[in-house]
């Protein structure tokens, strides 16, 4: 809504209830391939609002909310439920487990980090050698994944090989910011829940809460096949590399910045966004006086990388909430960016029509 105009009564807003939902989603553990904990929360929130909900063979939640017209645009909105983390791969007894990374994780960050393991969130730690016992040579060299173990203490039989583990990070509000694990992509999941609950009547909304994005966009590939939409918008969180440069030079290598609004993708390593959709989102933001930024092209990707190549091709674009320190123990994001992302996508859905896809636009 433009300033001074009445707020759309159907418009979703982010208040205390939505923050509580995001907290619950971030504290849930859903490492790729084992997304059950987040799926349960999603089902609880979408079942009362959707016309059709199913869980497919890979574990994607596919929900449909049909609009009021006969020839509505079929709009797929996708948000991945999974997060990066670890999988226990070998029990070495006395509470030690060899583990593997699931998704993109920098091994240098792991030693000494507390973790939650399995469905019961059993406490463990990725053991690190105390500084008293390390040599200078050890301190100057990177630790390999092979040399690390998750330690749950001897005599503790509450976890098993195959269990997933995540960083053990509480959820906290820091004034205008939020700090949590798995903001990538519980922000997208929480946004999609709100959009489904407030779906505008001019479209048929196909909501895909996908699995296994962090290991290669696998859930989105089959979700898009099933849904076969006219168009897709992917909701995710993207790294903000906007820290000050402490060597006195200006940081010009940011790809997104906190506080600058939703990040619209023109290109990433897996997708060239449909230019009609990019333009449409920019025009929508400008007409509704909402801030936005263009995510700078480069590494990383979203579920759009799999969706746009499905069937005979699906015009796709991604919109992300920027967050610092993605794929680490704790990320920081701005509440205002989340609110503006929800507002931008909702406003876009209210305005979208089949003419948008006319080839000459
Ligand atoms: Zn993500």
């Amino acid at each position: 809504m433009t300033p001074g105009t009445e707020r759309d009564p159907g418009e979703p807003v982010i208040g205390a209830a939505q923050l509580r939902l995001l907290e619950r989603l971030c504290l849930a553990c859903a490492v790729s391939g084992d997304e059950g904990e987040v799926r349960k929360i999603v089902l609880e929130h979408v079942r009362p609002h959707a016309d059709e909900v199913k869980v497919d063979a890979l574990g994607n939640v596919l929900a449909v909310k049909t609009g009021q017209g006969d020839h509505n645009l079929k709009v797929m909105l996708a948000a991945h439920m999974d997060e990066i983390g670890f999988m226990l791969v070998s029990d070495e007894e006395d509470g030690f487990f060899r583990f593997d990374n699931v998704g993109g994780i920098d091994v240098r960050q792991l030693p000494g980090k507390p973790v939650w393991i399995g469905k019961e969130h059993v406490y463990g730690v990725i053991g690190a050698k105390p500084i008293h016992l390390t040599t200078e040579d050890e301190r100057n060299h990177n630790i390999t994944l092979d040399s690390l173990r998750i330690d749950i203490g001897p005599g503790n039989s509450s976890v098993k090989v195959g269990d997933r583990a995540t960083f053990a990070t509480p959820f906290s509000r820091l004034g205008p910011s939020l700090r949590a694990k798995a903001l990538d992509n519980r922000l997208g999941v929480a946004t999609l829940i709100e959009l489904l609950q407030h779906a505008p009547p001019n479209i048929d909304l196909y909501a895909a809460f996908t699995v296994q994005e962090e290991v290669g966009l696998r859930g989105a590939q089959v979700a898009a096949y099933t849904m076969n939409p006219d168009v897709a918008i992917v909701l995710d969180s993207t790294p903000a590399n906007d820290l000050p440069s402490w060597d006195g030079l200006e940081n010009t290598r940011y790809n997104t910045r906190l506080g600058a609004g939703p990040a619209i993708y023109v290109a990433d390593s897996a997708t060239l966004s449909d230019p009609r959709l990019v333009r449409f989102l920019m025009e929508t933001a400008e007409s509704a006086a909402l801030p936005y930024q263009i995510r700078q092209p480069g590494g990383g990707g979203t579920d759009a990388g799999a969706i746009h190549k499905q069937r005979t091709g699906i015009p796709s674009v991604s919109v992300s909430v920027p967050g610092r320190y993605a794929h680490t123990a704790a990320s920081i994001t701005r509440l205002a960016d989340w609110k503006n992302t929800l507002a931008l996508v909702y406003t876009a859905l209210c305005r979208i029509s089949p003419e948008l896809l006319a080839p000459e636009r």
Side-chain angles (χ1 to χ4, degrees):
M1 294 285 101
T2 44
T5 59
E6 294 273 300
R7 206 178 66 75
D8 173 353
E11 186 180 346
V13 287
I14 290 168
Q18 289 71 22
L19 269 168
R20 276 196 303 275
L21 172 62
L22 181 66
E23 175 171 1
R24 211 177 140 205
L25 286 165
C26 287
L27 292 176
C29 296
V31 177
S32 310
D34 193 9
E35 294 88 353
E37 224 179 302
V38 165
R39 183 165 45 242
K40 188 164 170 269
I41 301 171
V42 167
L43 287 170
E44 199 181 293
H45 284 81
V46 303
R47 277 211 167 106
H49 299 273
D51 297 311
E52 195 188 316
V53 181
K54 66 176 177 186
V55 178
D56 74 10
L58 291 193
N60 294 306
V61 176
L62 307 178
V64 183
K65 176 80 183 161
T66 311
Q68 284 165 9
D70 288 334
H71 303 288
N72 292 335
L73 202 63
K74 282 178 72 172
V75 182
M76 176 180 183
L77 296 180
H80 71 86
M81 295 187 288
D82 61 315
E83 67 191 290
I84 54 107
F86 317 100
M87 179 164 53
L88 306 187
V89 295
S90 176
D91 183 346
E92 297 185 333
E93 300 186 347
D94 289 332
F96 294 114
F97 284 84
R98 188 186 290 270
F99 66 97
D100 208 351
N101 288 346
V102 181
I105 299 176
D106 184 343
V107 175
R108 292 175 303 169
Q109 297 170 7
L110 300 187
K113 294 288 194 308
V115 292
W116 289 321
I117 310 153
K119 304 215 181 315
E120 304 301 323
H121 297 193
V122 171
Y123 291 115
V125 64
I126 301 173
K129 203 169 175 183
I131 191 163
H132 319 60
L133 307 177
T134 56
T135 63
E136 193 175 345
D137 189 55
E138 281 175 316
R139 290 197 293 273
N140 287 331
H141 284 89
N142 287 337
I143 290 172
T144 61
L145 185 63
D146 217 37
S147 69
L148 294 171
R149 298 291 181 272
I150 285 178
D151 187 349
I152 60 165
N156 187 345
S157 58
S158 50
V159 306
K160 57 191 181 309
V161 167
D163 280 353
R164 306 298 202 269
T166 65
F167 293 113
T169 308
F171 181 96
S172 26
R173 174 93 184 258
L174 311 170
S177 305
L178 303 170
R179 188 209 72 156
K181 77 164 182 67
L183 285 166
D184 172 11
N185 183 32
R186 304 299 148 67
L187 282 165
V189 169
T191 306
L192 184 47
I193 287 171
E194 291 303 313
L195 290 167
L196 185 88
Q197 292 182 350
H198 298 85
N202 56 303
I203 57 163
D204 290 345
L205 197 159
Y206 285 70
F209 298 87
T210 64
V211 297
Q212 299 189 38
E213 190 266 359
E214 297 290 4
V215 290
L217 325 179
R218 295 170 190 171
Q221 188 177 344
V222 298
Y225 181 88
T226 305
M227 290 181 155
N228 193 20
D230 298 318
V231 66
I233 302 174
V234 174
L235 307 169
D236 210 324
S237 171
T238 191
N241 178 30
D242 65 342
L243 279 75
S245 172
W246 285 287
D247 56 8
L249 301 169
E250 191 190 351
N251 174 8
T252 54
R253 293 180 60 80
Y254 62 87
N255 56 343
T256 65
R257 288 184 281 195
L258 295 197
I264 301 170
Y265 289 54
V266 286
D268 61 28
S269 63
T271 316
L272 295 169
S273 299
D274 187 286
R276 296 165 298 187
L277 290 170
V278 173
R279 212 175 305 131
F280 172 66
L281 287 173
M282 290 166 66
E283 285 166 8
T284 300
E286 281 155 22
S287 68
L290 291 166
Y292 70 92
Q293 55 189 319
I294 297 296
R295 180 195 185 272
Q296 298 305 294
T302 71
D303 273 341
I307 295 168
H308 80 284
K309 294 186 288 190
Q310 193 48 268
R311 291 190 179 252
T312 55
I314 297 165
S316 302
V317 69
S318 301
V319 183
S320 277
V321 184
R324 285 183 187 151
Y325 322 120
H327 290 209
T328 70
S331 294
I332 287 187
T333 199
R334 289 276 192 279
L335 195 48
D337 288 334
W338 181 28
K339 289 180 175 174
N340 286 322
T341 301
L342 176 63
L344 171 60
V345 180
Y346 175 76
T347 312
L349 295 179
C350 293
R351 300 174 75 217
I352 201 166
S353 71
E355 290 75 58
L356 176 68
L357 301 176
E360 291 307 314
R361 191 174 185 277

